Amino acid sequence: MAQPVATSGATSGAPRVATRRGTELFMLVCSAFIVTFALVLVELAQEQTVTRELFYYGFAFLALYGAAHFGVRRWAPYADPLILPLVSLINGMGLVMLHRLDLAPVVGAPFTGKQIIFTTAGVVLFILVLVLVKDHRTLAQYGYTCGFVGLALLALPGLLPSSISEANGAKLWINLGFLSIQPGEFAKILLLVFFASFLVSKRELFTTAGKRFLGVDWPRPRDLMPVIVAWFLSIGIVVLEKDLGTSLLFFGIVLVMIYIATERAVWVFLGMAMFGLGCVVAFNLFAHVQARVNTWLDPLAEGAQNDQLRTGLFGMANGGIGGSGLGSGMPNLTSWAVSDFIISAIGEEIGLVGLMALLMVYLLLMMRGLRSALAVRDSFGKLFAGGLSFTIALQLFVVAGGVTGLIPMTGLTAPFLAAGGSSMLANYVLVALLLRISDAARRPQAPAKPKPKQAPIAEAHTELVERPR
């Protein structure tokens, strides 16, 4: 993060700091230009002509993020100037790929129009969070409420009938016909608030050393309760909702936040060992876990369940280093290329180089979030911002690792990139909270009032000091 720059003409009370809002607006314009140019390439390759509507899309994209920029300028003027442009570029590349898939025969198309509606709703929610949450520290007062609501949202799809909660083998949804939401996307933010407030208030409890064994200070059994609760919840998600991705994401977030709060690596090793043991037990008991692992071990084997990963891998191999070109590949051959495998589709069309550039944009977004966590002054803000940033990183790792065969496939989708309303809305809330914390980190502090001078010792009153017992 850029260090606050004191400028001339500082007013009394606090030094003036460059807000960098002009830089943010310039980068948003650059992002809109890149997205519009990519849309032009897609239409030239697919339709051999460019429609006027594309430029309307470009201006609409700029107007949408112009509104978000106005919200930041008005309600979080000292926020990090790079976070919003990075989000707009990722979101824009997702729209480009969805438009490209709409031009090909894909079951369920078109997706671009729905995604634009979700993006608009996400930006509105983003501005509302900035307006309503004026100080991120107020969230800590509702830690237990957020934890209870988050757990209820997380468990709800697993308890509902499969007819309204199950899709593609995972019970993650609440489908009411006219409305379909994935409550787990919002639950992760609420649980982040709970764990951040809980760990800050109980930090001394977790740093208390237990018995020393094998050269390591192990925590006391009663201090293990947060890890044990997180472990039971993650295993419960696998059993009830058949969702490996949410289970891994949830448990990883808890472990990282405990590590940030205590700075003791033993928690991470202990948590990973417990999660590994739970996965072994789940693999031996549940068929859906065995199917995911077997697909991961042999993606080229015959069978319909391997078809998605197999075609995705062949698509990326077809793209190679430089890619087939926007609009010139065949990403529509892969099932669910608009959501779970959109990274595979992008890798086919812009190649390894383009995919690495996109992952670097995600990495920059995470780094700006972590820098805000380092710069903010309160412990809750540090832990909360660290958890929000790590959520983006871990979710991307799980998605990219699944489509490339590094880890078993999960049901998670790439943030801001894949089609989906719940994920889009929840991630815009996440970014708004991150910007709120970065605003607090970069906002200049009023200088402390000078302390009154003490009277000379000869004129001071005599005080009776009690001997410490």
Side-chain angles (χ1 to χ4, degrees):
M1 177 184 298
Q3 295 297 321
V5 179
T7 60
S8 59
T11 58
S12 60
R16 292 185 58 188
V17 174
T19 61
R20 309 293 186 189
R21 298 275 70 84
T23 303
E24 180 183 84
L25 182 59
F26 173 75
M27 296 186 70
L28 286 173
V29 173
C30 293
S31 173
F33 175 77
I34 294 172
V35 171
T36 307
F37 183 67
L39 286 170
V40 169
L41 293 180
V42 166
E43 288 225 341
L44 282 176
Q46 283 287 309
E47 307 290 331
Q48 287 76 48
T49 183
V50 178
T51 60
R52 186 177 298 176
E53 284 74 14
L54 278 190
F55 297 99
Y56 294 153
Y57 290 159
F59 283 116
F61 183 83
L62 184 59
L64 189 62
Y65 281 97
H69 167 75
F70 173 78
V72 176
R73 182 182 286 270
R74 175 67 178 82
W75 288 288
Y78 296 97
D80 189 297
L82 291 183
I83 290 179
L84 186 60
L86 293 172
V87 169
S88 73
L89 185 58
I90 297 171
N91 198 167
M93 289 309 297
L95 289 171
V96 170
M97 186 49 59
L98 292 180
H99 181 63
R100 186 262 171 273
L101 290 168
D102 280 350
L103 298 178
V106 180
V107 177
F111 294 94
T112 311
K114 293 181 181 177
Q115 192 74 347
I116 291 175
I117 294 174
F118 293 147
T119 302
T120 305
V123 170
V124 172
L125 200 55
F126 168 87
I127 296 174
L128 284 177
V129 171
L130 289 180
V131 174
L132 297 176
V133 183
K134 299 185 183 303
D135 188 342
H136 64 275
R137 291 172 295 184
T138 57
L139 296 174
Q141 302 173 8
Y142 305 97
Y144 284 94
T145 304
C146 291
F148 177 76
V149 176
L151 287 178
L153 290 176
L154 198 63
L156 190 57
L159 303 176
L160 292 175
S162 300
S163 58
I164 61 173
S165 63
E166 185 168 345
N168 302 319
K171 298 184 67 172
L172 302 174
W173 299 88
I174 299 178
N175 191 354
L176 303 177
F178 63 96
L179 178 66
S180 181
I181 62 173
Q182 192 173 351
E185 292 286 345
F186 302 95
K188 66 185 180 186
I189 298 177
L190 295 171
L191 291 172
L192 277 173
V193 175
F194 165 71
F195 275 105
S197 62
F198 180 76
L199 291 173
V200 167
S201 62
K202 305 291 183 183
R203 173 177 294 182
E204 293 184 359
L205 178 68
F206 296 102
T207 55
T208 303
K211 294 183 178 179
R212 191 171 183 82
F213 179 66
L214 297 176
V216 177
D217 292 328
W218 294 92
R220 297 176 300 183
R222 60 181 177 181
D223 299 339
L224 290 172
M225 192 53 64
V227 178
I228 293 175
V229 170
W231 182 77
F232 271 111
L233 286 174
S234 60
I235 298 302
I237 293 169
V238 174
V239 175
L240 292 177
E241 304 182 359
K242 304 177 183 178
D243 183 19
L244 296 174
T246 303
S247 173
L248 177 59
L249 177 66
F250 176 74
F251 198 73
I253 290 171
V254 174
L255 278 187
V256 167
M257 294 187 73
I258 292 177
Y259 175 72
I260 294 174
T262 62
E263 298 180 358
R264 294 181 62 189
V266 63
W267 288 100
V268 178
F269 292 117
L270 186 62
M272 293 300 294
M274 293 173 63
F275 187 77
L277 179 63
C279 289
V280 171
V281 174
F283 175 79
N284 288 285
L285 293 181
F286 305 108
H288 62 276
V289 179
Q290 294 175 8
R292 293 291 180 95
V293 174
N294 290 332
T295 301
W296 169 57
L297 292 175
D298 191 4
L300 303 183
E302 293 293 333
Q305 63 182 10
N306 294 8
D307 182 66
Q308 188 181 33
L309 180 58
R310 184 169 54 235
T311 54
L313 291 174
F314 277 123
M316 287 189 288
N318 182 49
I321 300 296
S324 59
L326 278 171
S328 301
M330 295 179 290
N332 53 300
L333 298 181
T334 303
S335 305
W336 297 102
V338 296
S339 55
D340 296 14
F341 273 68
I342 195 168
I343 285 184
S344 170
I346 292 175
E348 178 179 352
E349 299 230 322
I350 61 177
L352 178 65
V353 175
L355 188 56
M356 288 299 106
L358 181 63
L359 296 181
M360 285 298 296
V361 176
Y362 273 111
L363 182 61
L364 285 173
L365 177 61
M366 183 198 67
M367 289 180 61
R368 302 306 291 192
L370 290 178
R371 296 205 66 168
S372 299
L374 290 174
V376 76
R377 298 165 185 84
D378 64 288
S379 299
F380 173 76
K382 288 181 181 296
L383 201 53
F384 190 39
L388 292 173
S389 304
F390 184 76
T391 300
I392 298 175
L394 183 58
Q395 191 164 341
L396 180 66
F397 168 76
V398 171
V399 175
V403 300
T404 55
L406 180 63
I407 60 175
M409 286 192 301
T410 66
L412 294 180
T413 55
F416 302 108
L417 201 64
S422 302
S423 174
M424 187 67 72
L425 297 179
N427 284 313
Y428 268 106
V429 172
L430 186 152
V431 168
L433 294 172
L434 208 51
L435 284 175
R436 171 57 66 207
I437 296 173
S438 72
D439 175 69
R442 298 180 75 245
R443 184 178 292 274
Q445 300 295 305
K449 295 181 179 179
K451 296 181 179 179
K453 294 183 179 178
Q454 295 182 349
I457 190 168
E459 303 175 5
H461 299 289
T462 302
E463 296 182 4
L464 184 60
V465 179
E466 186 178 358
R467 175 182 294 177
R469 298 178 180 176

